[in-house]
Structure formats: structure tokens, C-alpha cells
């Protein structure tokens, strides 16, 4: 017959052994490598490397897809082109529909004003005034024959392209003009903006 | 139920034998239903086991079926999206996304293809209706405070679903925008011009955004194909994903917000023991333990089986939406403007009605501070709409009105919130009205009864 004390003794032994084992386990092994046991630092390193590799691969592909949508070659019409011989342009303003451009001639001086509204890019319309109007722009008084009105949001510009009503934030663009040395045609460069004082004298 | 079915088969002997011979019904049932329901409980189970109907709960509360609470606006939007998907799929066979042929293919659709005008008209009308209905849906959800969490149910997150809804409204507008560009007529060309110039008015990111949208610096073939792919693939895909999530969330959030008040009422009363076993189709949701404080609602007493109560109403809403769309299609012919012409801007150049408030905003918001002029495109086209969207997204997190105001029309507790919202909506509607009826040539103000001055079209 086992007695209660036997059980107690056995339990005490087990507990002792357990605490001894716990103590042993709590001690960090010094200079000991557990053969076959997983190395936690190696495992976490590999995990981090693996996840990073996946992210880099996905990121790279996402970049490639997005980058492909930015074209490297544009098959667009050139910004600098010939407008025609000088005699084509009569005194006053001429609207060149396809080029979205107004070319103005005052005897032998020329200047070109963009027809693209500076607000949101609609084509402004040239409105011929019944009577010449005197307006003051930047302290100077000028006499204008025409005005430019925009059909999209109602911006208005004086004959020299200065905005005076509506949402346009700045005057219409002036483009550089030159005469072609080979055939004497007028050349416009829509990529080169010039000041409002620009005049090409021929 | 079962005996009725049998007697019907017997009296209608010809059809009955035909059916038996062709084995049509059993085959259909084998494909879609695993067995035939004989009791209410089985009818509920049948809903869950049915391929088409599995997203419904087995039982729904009567108040969430009410016409006057939700006006079924979300369902109508989904039906419109379905109509748009089907008609759009057919239109894709007939439309050519090339700058040379797009306009001609739409013209063919309108004048030479059999019923082409009807397909295009139905697609267009459904799109217009969808913009309106999605907007009204948002107004309904706001005014009834349905973006608020009520009872402390596990996993309830109505604010998130509200944000998904805001995203869906924006995608609906983008779908409409990309859609009306495709005919490549004057409306299309000048809408792209104005739309992409608004994008380019943003600081730093503006020009690259315009460049990637246009696929270059001018509006050309690259632009058309980009908007075509957005319209036919990416945006519908996003809509489908978000709508699915939106509907799933409604279930996760415990159904429509109008059911919340029943939980509030039940809390006040003493809880009797629940007679039958209650179970939820949501199963066991996340969390560590069942909340024993939760108020339980007796399903048997307050709810009705989804079939037929919900399914019949759904059929009615679907048919009514289709009917209205078709009638409007027959009454209103879809317009087609002149072919796109970069040289001539129509005078006036008007956006479709749902963008006219934005067109008004970009018109009136250019201003100058200390010599620096800020373009209305940036303020009215990007900053103000951005502020409105941000306010909509954040609103639920600042809403501190009591739970008792959820799911009711015009609650006193949310009076001020609703007033602010209605004022914003009214401002948008007034600007839309001005843009639609009070703007003439050169965007000048005209009274609705005033005749427009004849403006020169070209020079």
C-alpha cells in the first residue's frame, strides 16, 4: 500500500526536477550550438529577406508598368513651323484655325498671340469691336480694335492679350516669330514664349 | 406549399408532362438549388444555398424593406450598373477606339446599326440616372445618420462603408467623364482639354499627371485609348470590387441603420427568455467571447423570410428601374455633337449637368492676393472639391450625435449637421442650375427666359 506521504514525496521530486530544468533552460547556452535546432536569428533574417525580395519584385514590376505609360517618343506635330509668306497676312489680325494662333500685322511689324485661354486651354474667339476702344493697360493707354473672349468660362482679354475679366490668371501667350532664310516664310515657335513687347520688323 | 405545387402540376397536364419529359426544372434545380424548401426555415436556408441569392440573409426585418426609409437607392444604383455593364459590353463590339474612326463608329451606331441608337441611348440614360441615384443615395445615408455605428456589435464599422460609398460616388463620376469622351465629338474634345488642364493646375504633380493622362502633350490617339481602357476595364473593375465590399459590409454592420432603433427599444424593455434558438448567418464573428450583454432580438417575431419578401421587392425595383430607363431612352435621344475640332471651341462649351457646378466653381474662383493670381482651376477644380471629399470622409469620425438618432429621417439630435449638409447640397444644386439654364455664349449670365445673343461660331 502506498501512503499519502509517498505521493507527496514523488510530487516534490517532480517539482524539483521541473524547476531545475526551468533553471537550465533559462540559462542561455554559452558557446554552445544546438545541432539541428532552429536558429532564431537566422530564421528571422531569412524571413525578412524573403518578404523584402517579394516586395522589391512587386514594386519593380509596378514601377515597370507605370513607367511604360509615360511615352519616350511623341509623334506630335513640331512646335516650330512655317506659317506662309508674309503677303498672306493682311493688316490687323488673322486667325490660323489649325495652329490655334492669331498673327497680327501692323504695316511691316508682326506679332503672334496664342489662342489658347490661359485659364483652362479653350480656344478664345476674336471679337471685332464696332468702334476702337481706349483702354489702360499697365499705366499705358492703348487703342484696341479687337478683344478676345473665351466660350468656356467667360475670360476676356484686351487686344494686346491682357486679361481683364473672368477667371483667366494671366495674359495670352506671345510666341516668337522669325523669317525663314530659305524662302522668306514666317516661322512661329510655339515652344518659345516672348514678352508682350515683342515685334518682328521686316 | 408542396401539395399546392403538386396539384398545379396535375391540373396543367400538358405543361407538366412537357416539363417532365424535358426534365427542365430538375436540371435547373440541380444547377442552382440543392433542394426544394418546404418550410419557412428551409426557405431561409435555400436563400443561403442558392448561387444567385447567397448574399441575402435568410431573414430580413420589415423596416429595412420599407420603401419610404431607403427609397432602395443603393439597389437602384446596382441595377443601373448592371444595365450599364450589359449595354456597355454590346457597345464594345460596335465602337472603335481610334481618333479617325471613333466618331464615325458612334455615328454608325446612331444611324445605321439596328437598334444601335437604343443601346447607346439606354447606356447614356442609365449613366445619367446612376450619377443622380448614387448622389441621392449619399444624401439619404447622410440625412438618416446611417454612417454611424449603433449597438456595440462585433465588427461593426459603418464609417468605413460610408468612405467606400464616397469612393464609389467618385468612381461613378469618373466613369461618366471617361464615357462621354469616347464619341470623340466636340463635347468630348473640350471636356478632355478642360479636365486635363484642371489636373495640370495642381502644383508639382500637375504636369506629370496631365502627361500620363494624355499620353503626351496634345490630345491624340494615346489619349483616347487611355480613357477607353479606364472606362471599359479599370473603373468598372474597381466599381465591381467596391460594390461587392459595400454590400458585404452592410451585412457585417448588422443590416440597414433603421434596424438600430429596435435594439434601442429592446434595451429599455426587460429581456424575456428567447423562445427559439437564435442564430446568425454571420456565424461567429471575430472577438474573444460572445457579448452576453448584447440585446437579442427574437428573429421569429420581428423578421420575415427573405424569400419571397425581399426577392419580390428586388424584382419590382429591378423591373421599375429598367422600365424608367427604357422609357427615358425612348423619349430622349442621345445627342452627338460635331466631330472633335481642336480649332473651334463650341460657344458656350458646357459640361454635362453633373459637372456644371464644377464649371461654375472654376469660373468664379480665380483671385489675386498681393500681386499673385491663383488660377480658379486650382481652387475651384482641385482644392474645393478636395476639401468636400475630405470633409465627407472625415465627417463620421467627428459626428457625436447620440445613437438614438441613427436610422431615422430628420432626427432633432442631428438637426445642425443635416442643415450644414443640406446647405452644401443646395449650393451645388444652385451652381448646377446657373450653369445649366443661366449661361449663354461666352459664359455670360442670361436669365432662363432671355434669348441668347447670336455669337459668331468661327472666324
Amino acid at each position: 500500500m502506498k501512503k499519502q506521504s509517498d505521493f507527496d514525496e514523488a510530487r516534490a521530486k517532480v517539482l524539483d526536477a521541473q524547476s531545475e530544468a526551468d533553471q537550465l533552460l533559462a540559462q542561455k547556452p554559452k558557446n554552445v550550438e544546438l545541432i539541428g535546432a532552429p536558429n532564431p536569428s537566422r530564421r528571422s533574417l531569412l524571413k525578412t529577406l524573403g518578404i523584402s525580395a517579394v516586395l522589391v519584385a512587386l514594386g519593380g514590376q509596378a514601377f515597370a508598368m507605370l513607367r511604360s505609360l509615360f511615352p519616350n517618343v511623341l509623334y506630335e506635330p513640331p512646335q516650330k513651323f512655317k506659317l506662309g509668306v508674309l503677303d498672306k497676312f493682311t493688316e490687323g489680325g488673322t486667325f490660323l484655325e489649325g495652329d490655334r494662333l492669331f498673327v497680327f500685322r501692323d504695316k511691316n511689324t508682326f506679332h503672334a498671340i496664342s489662342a489658347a485661354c490661359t485659364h483652362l486651354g479653350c480656344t478664345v474667339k476674336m471679337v471685332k469691336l464696332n468702334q476702337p476702344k481706349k483702354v489702360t493697360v499697365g499705366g499705358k493707354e492703348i487703342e484696341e480694335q479687337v478683344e478676345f473672349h473665351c466660350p468656356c468660362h467667360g475670360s476676356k482679354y484686351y487686344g494686346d492679350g491682357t486679361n481683364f475679366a473672368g477667371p483667366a490668371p494671366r495674359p495670352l501667350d506671345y510666341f516668337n516669330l522669325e523669317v525663314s532664310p530659305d524662302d522668306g516664310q514666317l516661322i512661329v515657335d510655339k515652344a518659345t514664349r516672348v514678352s508682350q513687347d515683342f515685334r518682328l520688323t521686316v | 406549399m408542396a401539395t399546392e405545387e403538386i396539384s398545379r402540376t396535375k391540373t396543367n397536364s400538358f405543361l407538366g408532362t412537357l416539363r417532365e419529359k424535358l426534365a427542365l426544372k430538375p436540371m435547373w434545380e440541380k444547377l442552382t438549388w440543392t433542394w426544394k424548401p418546404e418550410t419557412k426555415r428551409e426557405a431561409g436556408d435555400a436563400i443561403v444555398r442558392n448561387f444567385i441569392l447567397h448574399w441575402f440573409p435568410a431573414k430580413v426585418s420589415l423596416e429595412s424593406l420599407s420603401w419610404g426609409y431607403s427609397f432602395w437607392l443603393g439597389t437602384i444604383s446596382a441595377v443601373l450598373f448592371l444595365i450599364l455593364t450589359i449595354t456597355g459590353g454590346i457597345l464594345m463590339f460596335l465602337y472603335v477606339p481610334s481618333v479617325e474612326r471613333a466618331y464615325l463608329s458612334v455615328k454608325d451606331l446612331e444611324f445605321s446599326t439596328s437598334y444601335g441608337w437604343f443601346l447607346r441611348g439606354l447606356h447614356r440614360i442609365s449613366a445619367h440616372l446612376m450619377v443622380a441615384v448614387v448622389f441621392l443615395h449619399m444624401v439619404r445615408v447622410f440625412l438618416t445618420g446611417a454612417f454611424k455605428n449603433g449597438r456595440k456589435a462585433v465588427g461593426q464599422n459603418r464609417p468605413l462603408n460610408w468612405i467606400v460609398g464616397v469612393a464609389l460616388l467618385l468612381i461613378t463620376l469618373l466613369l461618366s467623364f471617361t464615357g462621354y469622351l469616347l464619341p470623340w465629338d466636340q463635347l468630348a474634345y473640350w471636356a478632355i482639354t478642360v479636365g486635363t488642364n484642371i489636373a495640370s493646375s495642381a502644383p508639382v504633380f500637375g504636369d506629370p499627371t496631365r502627361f500620363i493622362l494624355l499620353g503626351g502633350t496634345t490630345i491624340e490617339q494615346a489619349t483616347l485609348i487611355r480613357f477607353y481602357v479606364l472606362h471599359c476595364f479599370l473603373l468598372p473593375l474597381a466599381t465591381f470590387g467596391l460594390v461587392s465590399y459595400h454590400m458585404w459590409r452592410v451585412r457585417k454592420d448588422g443590416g440597414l441603420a433603421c434596424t438600430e432603433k429596435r435594439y434601442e427599444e429592446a434595451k429599455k424593455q426587460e429581456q424575456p427568455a428567447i423562445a427559439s434558438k437564435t442564430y446568425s448567418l454571420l456565424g461567429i464573428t471575430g472577438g474573444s467571447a460572445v457579448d452576453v450583454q448584447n440585446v437579442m432580438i427574437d428573429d421569429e417575431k420581428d423578421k420575415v423570410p427573405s424569400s419571397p419578401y425581399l426577392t419580390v421587392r428586388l424584382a419590382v425595383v429591378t423591373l421599375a428601374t429598367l422600365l424608367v430607363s427604357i422609357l427615358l431612352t425612348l423619349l430622349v435621344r442621345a445627342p452627338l455633337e460635331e466631330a472633335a475640332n481642336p480649332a473651334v471651341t463650341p460657344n458656350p462649351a458646357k459640361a454635362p449637368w453633373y459637372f456644371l457646378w464644377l464649371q461654375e466653381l472654376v469660373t468664379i474662383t480665380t483671385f489675386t492676393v498681393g500681386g499673385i493670381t491663383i488660377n480658379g482651376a486650382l481652387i475651384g477644380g482641385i482644392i474645393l472639391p478636395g476639401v468636400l471629399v475630405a470633409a465627407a470622409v472625415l465627417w463620421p469620425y467627428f459626428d457625436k450625435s447620440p445613437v438614438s438618432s441613427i436610422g431615422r429621417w430628420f432626427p432633432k439630435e442631428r438637426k445642425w449637421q443635416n442643415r450644414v449638409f443640406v446647405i452644401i447640397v443646395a449650393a451645388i444644386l444652385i451652381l448646377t442650375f446657373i450653369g445649366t439654364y443661366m449661361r449663354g455664349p461666352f459664359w455670360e449670365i442670361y436669365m432662363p427666359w432671355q434669348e441668347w445673343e447670336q455669337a459668331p461660331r468661327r472666324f
Side-chain angles (χ1 to χ4, degrees):
Chain A
M1 276 293 281
K2 296 273 181 193
K3 283 181 284 182
Q4 182 63 35
S5 60
D6 292 340
F7 284 112
D8 291 343
E9 208 176 309
R11 187 192 284 144
K13 271 184 189 167
V14 168
L15 287 175
D16 276 355
Q18 224 166 35
S19 65
E20 201 178 335
D22 283 346
Q23 277 173 14
L24 279 173
L25 281 174
Q27 285 171 7
K28 274 188 184 171
K30 283 171 193 163
N31 304 322
V32 174
E33 227 170 275
L34 296 171
I35 297 163
N39 185 335
S41 64
R42 185 173 67 188
R43 174 169 283 189
S44 67
L45 175 74
L46 286 175
K47 191 176 163 189
T48 314
L49 277 179
I51 292 175
S52 316
V54 169
L55 288 180
V56 167
L58 287 179
Q61 289 170 75
F63 176 77
M65 286 178 208
L66 276 180
R67 180 62 186 81
S68 74
L69 293 176
F70 285 86
N72 294 328
V73 180
L74 295 178
Y75 300 95
E76 290 174 355
Q79 292 288 290
K80 191 173 180 181
F81 47 88
K82 289 177 179 171
L83 295 173
V85 292
L86 300 179
D87 291 344
K88 187 178 136 187
F89 301 97
T90 51
E91 216 43 30
T94 311
F95 178 46
L96 303 173
E97 246 189 36
D99 308 321
R100 299 181 74 199
L101 202 65
F102 298 102
V103 175
F104 284 87
R105 178 173 192 168
D106 184 12
K107 287 172 193 124
N108 56 354
T109 63
F110 292 83
H111 65 279
I113 300 181
S114 164
C117 180
T118 53
H119 177 229
L120 282 169
C122 294
T123 305
V124 296
K125 290 176 197 298
M126 185 161 62
V127 179
K128 291 205 167 78
L129 300 174
N130 295 331
Q131 289 189 335
K133 202 163 96 180
K134 280 195 174 151
V135 291
T136 318
V137 183
K140 274 191 290 181
E141 194 173 78
I142 57 164
E143 195 182 76
E144 57 164 17
Q145 312 278 346
V146 294
E147 274 184 2
F148 305 103
H149 295 180
C150 180
C152 285
H153 306 93
S155 295
K156 285 178 181 163
Y157 305 85
Y158 291 132
D160 69 339
T162 308
N163 52 310
F164 69 93
R170 56 186 168 84
L172 292 171
D173 291 335
Y174 272 55
F175 295 135
N176 189 46
L177 284 178
E178 55 189 275
V179 176
S180 171
D182 58 345
D183 54 7
Q185 284 197 47
L186 199 60
I187 293 180
V188 69
D189 183 3
K190 288 177 85 172
T192 311
R193 277 199 244 151
V194 291
S195 82
Q196 275 196 351
D197 307 323
F198 174 88
R199 293 289 182 277
L200 174 75
T201 311
V202 185
Chain B
M1 209 177 188
T3 47
E4 202 185 317
E5 186 76 22
I6 291 161
S7 62
R8 204 190 294 150
T9 324
K10 271 181 185 165
T11 48
N12 200 344
S13 56
F14 174 69
L15 267 181
T17 40
L18 191 71
R19 235 189 226 168
E20 273 167 33
K21 276 189 180 165
L22 292 176
L24 273 181
K25 208 179 170 196
M27 179 59 81
W28 176 245
E29 280 176 0
K30 264 182 206 164
L31 287 173
T32 57
W33 294 66
T34 45
W35 95 113
K36 190 160 69 181
E38 307 230 322
T39 62
K40 278 188 172 181
R41 169 129 185 206
E42 282 190 5
D45 274 355
I47 287 277
V48 181
R49 296 196 191 189
N50 181 284
F51 168 66
I52 311 277
L53 302 176
H54 73 272
W55 64 67
F56 296 143
K59 289 188 145 198
V60 284
S61 60
L62 272 173
E63 57 256 59
S64 54
L65 293 176
S66 136
W67 300 110
Y69 169 69
S70 69
F71 299 102
W72 287 66
L73 293 164
T75 311
I76 296 173
S77 313
V79 173
L80 289 168
F81 184 64
L82 184 72
I83 298 174
L84 284 160
T85 310
I86 294 169
T87 50
I90 304 293
L91 288 171
M92 278 177 79
F93 287 116
L94 302 166
Y95 169 81
V96 188
S98 106
V99 288
E100 288 89 13
R101 292 171 62 187
Y103 182 75
L104 295 176
S105 68
V106 175
K107 219 170 171 182
D108 265 359
L109 201 62
E110 199 66 25
F111 299 108
S112 81
T113 311
S114 297
Y115 305 110
W117 62 273
F118 178 73
L119 277 175
R120 178 170 174 254
L122 185 56
H123 194 76
R124 177 179 164 274
I125 285 289
S126 313
H128 280 276
L129 286 177
M130 191 169 157
V131 172
V133 172
V134 169
F135 181 70
L136 289 175
H137 181 45
M138 182 193 191
V139 172
R140 191 285 286 175
V141 168
F142 190 94
L143 292 182
T144 55
F147 53 71
K148 286 162 63 65
N149 284 334
R151 77 193 98 125
K152 290 196 175 75
V154 180
Q156 195 177 44
N157 195 350
R158 286 217 179 92
L160 176 61
N161 216 17
W162 162 263
I163 294 172
V164 173
V166 172
L168 279 167
L169 173 67
L170 296 179
I171 292 182
T172 306
L173 291 173
L174 283 178
L175 271 167
S176 303
F177 181 69
T178 51
Y180 72 74
L181 305 179
L182 299 182
W184 214 245
D185 58 355
Q186 282 286 65
L187 176 69
Y189 187 89
W190 295 101
I192 302 180
T193 306
V194 169
T196 55
N197 276 328
I198 287 177
S200 77
S201 72
V204 188
F205 298 106
D207 284 326
T209 309
R210 182 171 191 266
F211 187 72
I212 195 178
L213 281 174
L214 294 185
T217 57
T218 54
I219 298 169
E220 259 298 330
Q221 179 59 47
T223 316
L224 177 56
I225 201 77
R226 268 156 210 242
F227 284 104
Y228 175 73
V229 174
L230 282 173
H231 183 76
C232 302
F233 177 67
L234 287 179
L235 292 173
L237 190 73
T239 312
F240 186 77
L242 284 177
V243 165
S244 309
Y245 185 69
H246 202 59
M247 290 179 169
W248 179 76
R249 275 238 70 87
V250 171
R251 291 282 305 280
K252 279 278 160 190
D253 295 342
L256 300 194
C258 61
T259 54
E260 293 290 343
K261 60 175 176 281
R262 197 134 53 80
Y263 283 81
E264 288 299 301
E265 282 160 16
K267 250 189 222 169
K268 288 174 199 156
Q269 295 165 4
E270 204 177 315
Q271 286 298 302
I274 289 165
S276 66
K277 184 189 168 199
T278 46
Y279 63 98
S280 158
L281 283 168
L282 304 179
I284 296 163
T285 46
S288 53
V290 175
D291 185 358
V292 288
Q293 297 294 314
N294 233 356
V295 182
M296 302 294 256
I297 298 288
D298 189 344
D299 273 355
E300 291 300 320
K301 198 181 81 194
D302 296 308
K303 290 185 168 178
V304 290
S306 290
S307 177
Y309 291 89
L310 176 59
T311 44
V312 167
R313 280 169 174 78
L314 182 68
V316 169
V317 169
T318 306
L319 288 177
T321 308
L322 188 60
L323 180 75
V324 170
S325 311
I326 289 176
L327 284 180
L328 282 173
T329 306
L330 297 178
L331 288 173
V332 188
R333 279 300 285 269
L336 183 62
E337 295 193 4
E338 288 169 46
N341 182 356
V344 181
T345 310
N347 191 9
K350 285 197 184 190
W353 59 270
Y354 43 83
F355 283 134
L356 280 175
W357 66 281
L358 278 175
Q359 193 166 359
E360 278 299 320
L361 271 185
V362 296
T363 304
I364 58 182
T365 50
T366 295
F367 66 92
T368 307
V369 185
I372 300 165
T373 303
I374 303 168
N375 197 338
L378 176 61
I379 297 168
I382 294 178
I383 294 177
L384 279 178
V387 166
L388 281 183
V389 171
V393 165
L394 294 175
W395 199 290
Y397 301 100
F398 291 95
D399 182 319
K400 297 286 176 238
S401 59
V403 173
S404 58
S405 66
I406 302 177
R408 287 192 289 128
W409 279 94
F410 312 119
K412 279 194 186 118
E413 301 91 326
R414 304 188 68 251
K415 191 168 68 183
W416 279 103
Q417 293 197 35
N418 282 350
R419 275 183 191 169
V420 170
F421 184 78
V422 167
I423 287 169
I424 294 172
V425 170
I428 290 175
L429 292 181
I430 288 169
L431 287 177
T432 308
F433 180 85
I434 293 174
T436 312
Y437 295 108
M438 297 175 65
R439 290 293 190 178
F442 297 119
W443 212 246
E444 308 246 16
I445 287 279
Y446 285 82
M447 287 295 126
W449 53 88
Q450 246 178 328
E451 246 180 74
W452 288 0
E453 208 174 295
Q454 280 304 306
R457 289 178 59 81
R458 22 172 103 219
F459 297 89

